[in-house]
Amino acid sequence: MHDIKQIRQQPDAFDVGLARRGLPAESATILALDSAWRQSVQQAEVLQAERNAKSAEVGKIKREGGNADALMNEVTAMKDRLAALEAEAKTHEEALNAALATIPNLPADVVPNGKDENDNFEVRAWGARKDIKNAKDHSDLGPALGQMDFETAAKLSGSRFVVLKGQLARLERAIAQFMLDTHTEQFGYTECSVPVLVNDTALYGTGNLPKFKDDLFAANTGHFLIPTAEVSLTNFVNDTIVPEEQLPMRLTAFTPCFRSEAGAAGRDTKGMLRQHQFYKVELVSITAPESSDAEHERMTNAAETILQKLEIPYRTMLLCTGDMGFASRKTYDIEAWLPGQQKYREISSCSNCGDFQARRMNARLRRMNAKGTEFVHTLNGSGLAVGRTLIAIMENYQNPDGSITVPAVLQPYMGGIVKISA
RNA sequence: GGACAGGUGGCCGAGCGGUUGAAGGCGCACGCCUGGAAAGUGUGUAUAGGGGUGACUCUAUCGUGAGUUCGAAUCUCAUCCUGUCCGCCA
């Protein structure tokens, strides 16, 4: 949610920011709604003040035993006009909020302009890509091992689901444990177990609603399945005033994520790269405004550390304006090298949302010895996508015979198993 | 799912339908007191929006939404949440 005062003061800067995202100017529309709202509010308030004064006068007269019938009739007479003005103000306010609710966050200054993922900027690359001859795709390796079964999953649920079995299923669990342990022990995140069914308020707070309802699975109770634990974790501070000394809050959770991705049909249909359901270890930080940039680097480093420990080559991309998510003002994507595809593929996305989500959630902080409150900043990042990490391990650690070597750091989580084979 | 009880400021907790934006306490801030501290003591301390350069002022907010009334934290209805007991259940 944008600060309407900011738009009033610098409408041009607002439109420039939208233009950088490839979106049309909105400030004129917004400001028209805003002034219509303010006008009707002011008129209503004048009338309310008059009513309040007269009613107080009635009270005074009655206490003194007088007759206030005339005054009471006066207030009755203004009721219709007052109700109409209040309704008008409410209509305008709702229209303004509806318009603001679907406008994405503005990009930070350092974000490069661009149209799509081709315009993203490579910040750094890590690790030597091994030369694997005739590298196979995970969707060939897995079924050949008899431990990755798309047919059975299709029987249960349809396309874009998978069943893992045996050591591959265990590997998925091992990856999650390793990630959680690293983030809690090395980076100070607090492990959380959270609801994966959430209400519409929570989804509005993170920016998933109202605009992206079609990407979500809805339950018949009014709940939605989370598309990411970012929703659950970030909303910890929904409608909350956090004392400054409790910041930064660093939270992590391992959850399934559910995405209907109606618009993405046809992309990455093979294998388990793009599924309706997948596991992810999520990182969320709540910070004071001045700390969010540094926290963003710290969080990205935490995510990269996982790949370094797993010894999987990756590159870190600063997303261009055209490729950033709705709520973000600056995003790093971490892309792992997949030998089977001979491509880098996204395995994590770390975003600084500034105060955008905080405004939607009404999440604030109170400074020591200071009056008033400020909006917190929120950040979220994958630390990492577990399914895609499984893919990256399979493809980078594959052996000519189709077996998979277990990365050294995961062996303790696999009961000492060194190799996965059929 | 059934029966009760309850949701008030940063926190706790009062609140006959009429100076109650809201007593009191805690916490916090600034004074006084003290050699210094504690204790004691005085004053001040909600959020958001509108208007004004400013002192200031108007409006809204007592879970949420409707309603009754000249006037609602207070009365009515609906709804959500919390607690206790019962039932069911991993």
Side-chain angles (χ1 to χ4, degrees):
Chain A
M1 182 68 81
H2 289 282
D3 182 1
I4 185 66
K5 282 190 274 191
Q6 196 73 40
I7 301 174
R8 279 177 207 150
Q9 282 163 17
Q10 303 184 339
D12 294 341
F14 185 71
D15 286 335
V16 166
L18 290 180
R20 291 182 64 203
R21 276 199 182 248
L23 296 169
E26 296 271 11
S27 69
T29 315
I30 297 293
L31 290 179
L33 290 168
D34 179 49
S35 74
W37 168 64
R38 280 203 283 175
Q39 200 177 359
S40 49
V41 162
Q42 277 175 38
Q43 288 173 5
E45 287 187 352
V46 168
L47 219 54
Q48 282 168 341
E50 189 182 335
R51 176 203 58 191
N52 291 347
K54 286 184 174 169
S55 290
E57 185 66 17
V58 169
K60 196 176 162 194
I61 292 170
K62 290 208 162 190
R63 263 198 312 279
E64 291 164 358
N67 184 311
D69 287 356
L71 210 48
M72 283 160 67
N73 288 335
E74 274 183 49
V75 180
T76 306
M78 53 194 281
K79 267 193 160 182
D80 286 349
R81 202 150 51 95
L82 184 58
L85 278 170
E86 284 175 344
E88 187 185 313
K90 193 177 173 187
T91 303
H92 285 136
E93 186 181 14
E94 282 170 357
L96 177 61
N97 284 336
L100 285 173
T102 56
I103 297 174
N105 201 354
L106 300 183
D109 291 341
V110 297
V111 173
N113 290 338
K115 193 160 156 286
D116 54 33
E117 67 264 25
N118 296 312
D119 297 323
N120 294 341
F121 175 77
E122 182 178 313
V123 179
R124 58 187 161 265
W126 184 93
R129 288 183 258 166
K130 276 179 281 185
D131 187 23
I132 305 171
K133 31 187 196 302
N134 300 319
K136 288 185 187 130
D137 190 275
H138 74 277
S139 59
D140 294 324
L141 291 163
L145 287 166
Q147 300 180 18
M148 183 182 287
D149 185 346
F150 294 100
E151 283 75 19
T152 301
K155 283 198 296 187
L156 310 179
S157 309
S159 66
R160 295 190 185 276
F161 290 90
V162 68
V163 169
L164 298 180
K165 291 180 280 192
Q167 297 305 330
L168 227 40
R170 184 174 188 177
L171 182 62
E172 183 178 59
R173 175 161 57 91
I175 290 167
Q177 294 230 60
F178 161 66
M179 288 176 180
L180 285 172
D181 286 349
T182 301
H183 294 312
T184 54
E185 290 165 14
Q186 192 171 337
F187 294 105
Y189 283 84
T190 300
E191 182 172 348
C192 303
S193 175
V194 298
V196 301
L197 282 167
V198 297
N199 59 31
D200 53 356
T201 305
L203 286 157
Y204 177 84
T206 41
N208 302 87
L209 287 178
K211 204 172 181 185
F212 304 100
K213 194 172 184 179
D214 290 346
D215 294 342
L216 302 169
F217 286 105
N220 63 4
T221 52
H223 294 97
F224 295 86
L225 286 162
I226 56 169
T228 159
E230 168 200 345
V231 178
S232 307
L233 292 174
T234 307
N235 276 285
F236 277 23
V237 293
N238 184 302
D239 204 24
T240 299
I241 298 173
V242 186
E244 181 183 19
E245 58 270 27
Q246 283 178 23
L247 299 175
M249 287 172 62
R250 298 192 175 105
L251 309 169
T252 184
F254 166 59
T255 67
C257 302
F258 303 91
R259 299 186 182 178
S260 82
E261 310 207 337
R267 246 187 117 185
D268 299 317
T269 48
K270 192 180 166 200
M272 56 178 286
L273 199 64
R274 192 178 299 275
Q275 302 271 286
H276 285 313
Q277 175 186 336
F278 61 95
Y279 287 106
K280 183 156 60 71
V281 171
E282 182 73 1
L283 305 172
V284 161
S285 294
I286 313 292
T287 74
E290 67 277 10
S291 309
S292 69
D293 282 331
E295 184 70 15
H296 191 206
E297 302 299 325
R298 187 184 189 277
M299 173 183 278
T300 305
N301 175 252
E304 288 181 24
T305 297
I306 299 294
L307 287 171
Q308 290 175 13
K309 287 178 185 259
L310 291 171
E311 299 183 61
I312 293 170
Y314 68 87
R315 64 180 188 180
T316 301
M317 311 294 287
L318 175 59
L319 295 197
C320 73
T321 51
D323 204 24
M324 280 201 314
F326 181 77
S328 179
R329 66 190 304 271
K330 182 182 176 188
T331 297
Y332 291 118
D333 269 12
I334 302 170
E335 300 178 342
W337 176 250
L338 296 187
Q341 294 195 4
Q342 289 292 302
K343 278 180 193 164
Y344 284 103
R345 295 303 303 256
E346 177 186 340
I347 200 163
S348 171
S349 189
C350 299
S351 297
N352 182 355
C353 297
D355 64 5
F356 186 83
Q357 292 178 324
R359 287 179 186 284
R360 295 172 83 97
M361 290 189 300
N362 193 26
R364 295 168 293 167
L365 76 111
R366 188 185 300 282
R367 307 267 186 192
M368 299 255 273
N369 310 335
K371 258 183 88 74
T373 57
E374 301 166 55
F375 289 109
V376 298
H377 280 198
T378 61
L379 305 94
N380 65 82
S382 345
L384 313 163
V386 173
R388 290 190 175 181
T389 303
L390 181 88
I391 292 172
I393 290 169
M394 289 174 71
E395 297 195 10
N396 281 282
Y397 282 83
Q398 64 181 290
N399 301 308
D401 65 356
S403 64
I404 314 288
T405 301
V406 176
V409 289
L410 293 182
Q411 287 170 15
Y413 294 94
M414 293 287 287
I417 290 170
V418 174
K419 190 193 277 188
I420 295 173
S421 46

